[in-house]
Amino acid sequence: MQQTPASPDFRGQVADELRHRFPPRPVPDAWPISMRGRADVLGRIEEMLADAATQLRVNWRRGADLLLQWLETFPGESWQQRWYASPAHDLGQCWADTAAQQLAKPIVTLPNVLRCGLLALFCLDAVRPRMTWLVECRSPYWTQAITTYRDPSGFAALEASVDPIQWSKRVTVIALNQLAKMLIAKGGGIRDITVGDCLEFRDARVATLANSAGQTLFYSLLRNLGSFPADAPVTLNRLGSRSGQLSVAQLVDRFGLACRPVRDLFVDYLTERQPVLDYKSVDSLSRNLAQNFWQDLERHHPGIDSLHLPPEIAASWKERLRTKTTRRRQPDGSIADVASPRKNYTALLTGVRGFYLDIAEWALEDPARWGPWAAPSPVSAAEVTGWHKAAAQRKARMDQRTRERLPIVPLLAEGAARRLQDARTRLEAVLAAAPGERFTVLGETFVRAGHAGRTAIDGSKCAYDDTGRRHNFEFAENRAFWAWASVEFLRHTGVRIEEMLEVSHHSITQYRLPATGELIPLLQIAPSKTDEERLLVVSPELADVLSAIVQRVRASNGAIPLVTAYDPLERVWNPPLPLLFQWQVGGERRAVSRAAVRKGINEVLLEIGLTDAAGEPLTYQLHDFRRIFATEAIQNGMPPHIAQLLLGHKDINTTMGYKAVYPQEAINGHRAFIARRRGLRPSFEYRTPTDEEWDEFLGHFQRRKLSLGECGRAYGSGCQHEHACVRCSLLRVDPAQRGRLEEIRDNLVDRVAEAEREGWVGEADGLRVSLAAAQDKLAQLNERALRATTINLGLPAFGDVAGRTTVAPRRLGDPANA
């Protein structure tokens, strides 16, 4: 039986394939300029520095002369070979001190003179050090010199393509410095740099520097310049972990199966199923079959090579499958393996049974290919028909989570807003302080980073507390804002996390009613799990959140920057879009990840100090907001089929599964609602409406306009309170009519006093009911005003943030179309 290597690292393998597809430019041992004599090289330096200052020409020529004299003491036919033969590469930053000692010249500043000479050789392209040496050695003069004397037109084109809106000056300078090092190491100009050169430079940084993550802006600049082919990677950030989709064979080979025929069978089976499954489903199915099923059998029964499992082997495998082992940190700080029941045990059994049944069915159609592998399934039908119990247990766990977290949502929203306000206060305080100055904010004392008397560099918004810990207040404010925005967005929409992160500026739209011209704000949710888009009506609270987000990410020219987001489920890069959930990391715009959202929300919960029923710190899964939204909507009277449309479910049973506490009550309420509607509207009325009926439908919304605001009664229903609007709970008072409502309240107070004075007891009781309702309406206005002024975000009008406006098409025969 053939053996396959165990558990290959396909993340590293894909990165290696990328390096193989885009190899770096080789550095030869000699090229024309490196073969010239010392006098010729010095003459070329004089020509290069013809327009430079006198002192610069003297220092560079003198340093180059002394450095070439030192290199002549080492073997080689070119200056590049002599450089490699010298100890400079092993010495790193200290190479100039050793060279000065060996030259033994009576010059006090000889090391600095030699460094000037090396810079002259770099600009002339006479010597090309290795990238690891350039990463380790640093100089503030390299970028300016290479920009001026190596490829001035290339750097000028690069700087002209830089968008100052997306990239700050500070990170752009860092990227230009890195590009200058690549030109020193590889030669040529800016447009000669290849994808392989960038990969090699990134590997050199990772191998040399401890903290090198995120500094890949140089690659983005070159890619925007158009220097790379179309199939070049989108970014070098997290290369390997975001390396694209694996093939079916690679998905199976992740687990290093020993039996080659079974491995080939899994590959053929998954290839057959792949056209009707998405990538995430193929990934999960391959993990179930190759790891949870066959790899476990090979580990406990070496040499197994048949799908026909004896009863005792099948029973032992299913017993092991019931539990899973995870590595967890213990209270004492140690790491230990902890066994726990597997919650998806039935689902895994169902996948294995489906595999056996598919092979048996396909064997009838193609006996030569699948017939030899047909075998009795080790999982019986009775073992997978018990999914109802597992589903009920899962439903009970989810309902318990919803019951614990639903009452906490207002506290979470309040805590996120308060945390954002505190973060902004700290940021304003550190910006107001000078570098090195001590300041106090929110009862804490800090010292701003930097030296006293110096101007704060771009992006320096850090400070140290009394313990010496460094705090980045800009990053803290950024994370606090997106935690607040995520909480508000999720709880007001109930969308999936991938749908929230894919919302772009194009998703914000407006619908104009043809009769009144009133604008209805809408939010378009792009297709995700069900491949169906839907529209949500934007509430005033959600409009505030969207306005704050647009105001934050909008550039100075009014446009939303385009960013490329990575889909972790399909493992593909999406095209550039004006995403709303984007922030600046490492100097470049990136989409906010679900991990950042989850971490920000849990940080808010940790700061509030909430605990669950077991006394553990309370945490939220991002999908909890979706279940809470469904529960609140149905409990507040929304018909389940409407909630189904808002949530984007294909089956109403899925929506009812999201509703916690009392599902039977919601089902009965839905059925009673349908029965009432069918009783009120006979079946013959379910037809295409006429023009008169459509106009009457639109007119219903016009008749809801009242002097104090708008009536929220359902379509087709008359007023049930004899137009006693002040008493009606469906009246939504317009804040602009507050004065009119206060006049009504004052009038009711006078009338109650008159009724009591005249002894009109019944009249007084009725007036008191109206007075209490008026006072309740005023209290609602106060609460809405307080909520609107909790955080001053400087919000623009909704029309300023809407991506487009949709107008209903007019019918034929309208005067406008005549």
Side-chain angles (χ1 to χ4, degrees), residues 35-49:
M35 297 291 295
R36 296 180 180 271
R38 176 155 55 96
D40 197 357
V41 172
L42 296 177
R44 295 289 296 273
I45 293 176
E46 287 285 354
E47 295 176 3
M48 182 179 64
L49 301 176

Side-chain angles (χ1 to χ4, degrees), residues 271-292:
T271 303
E272 194 78 15
R273 294 285 312 276
Q274 188 178 20
V276 296
L277 299 176
D278 56 19
Y279 180 79
K280 183 64 177 178
S281 301
V282 176
D283 184 14
S284 301
L285 184 57
S286 66
R287 187 179 302 276
N288 184 22
L289 296 177
Q291 182 184 40
N292 298 326

Side-chain angles (χ1 to χ4, degrees), residues 167 171 214-215 237 475 478 583-591:
W167 298 308
V171 297
Q215 295 187 4
N237 180 41
F475 180 77
N478 207 11
W583 58 357
Q584 201 169 45
V585 180
E588 55 183 324
R589 292 273 184 170
R590 298 179 187 173

Side-chain angles (χ1 to χ4, degrees), residues 609-681:
L610 299 175
T611 57
D612 56 15
E616 298 294 330
L618 188 68
T619 59
Y620 270 75
Q621 296 294 333
L622 300 178
H623 217 67
D624 289 335
F625 291 95
R626 189 166 169 82
R627 296 187 178 90
I628 290 173
F629 179 86
T631 300
E632 283 189 319
I634 296 177
Q635 280 185 340
N636 291 331
M638 178 180 289
H641 66 284
I642 301 299
Q644 175 191 356
L645 296 177
L646 294 180
L647 294 173
H649 291 151
K650 289 187 174 181
D651 189 355
I652 196 172
N653 292 321
T654 305
T655 306
M656 299 310 303
Y658 275 42
K659 194 265 182 187
V661 188
Y662 302 112
Q664 190 63 33
E665 175 188 357
I667 294 174
N668 294 336
H670 175 229
R671 291 176 175 174
F673 172 81
I674 296 298
R676 290 195 304 271
R677 289 296 302 273
R678 289 176 177 173
L680 294 175
R681 298 178 64 97

Side-chain angles (χ1 to χ4, degrees), residues 190 327 425:
I190 287 294
R327 299 184 65 83
T425 302

Side-chain angles (χ1 to χ4, degrees), residues 599-620:
K599 185 176 181 180
I601 294 176
N602 287 331
E603 285 177 350
V604 175
L605 289 169
L606 187 62
E607 185 173 315
I608 298 175
L610 299 175
T611 57
D612 56 15
E616 298 294 330
L618 188 68
T619 59
Y620 270 75

Side-chain angles (χ1 to χ4, degrees), residues 361-379:
E361 181 180 354
W362 297 348
L364 298 176
E365 302 174 358
D366 190 354
R369 182 182 181 187
W370 306 105
W373 294 103
S377 173
V379 180

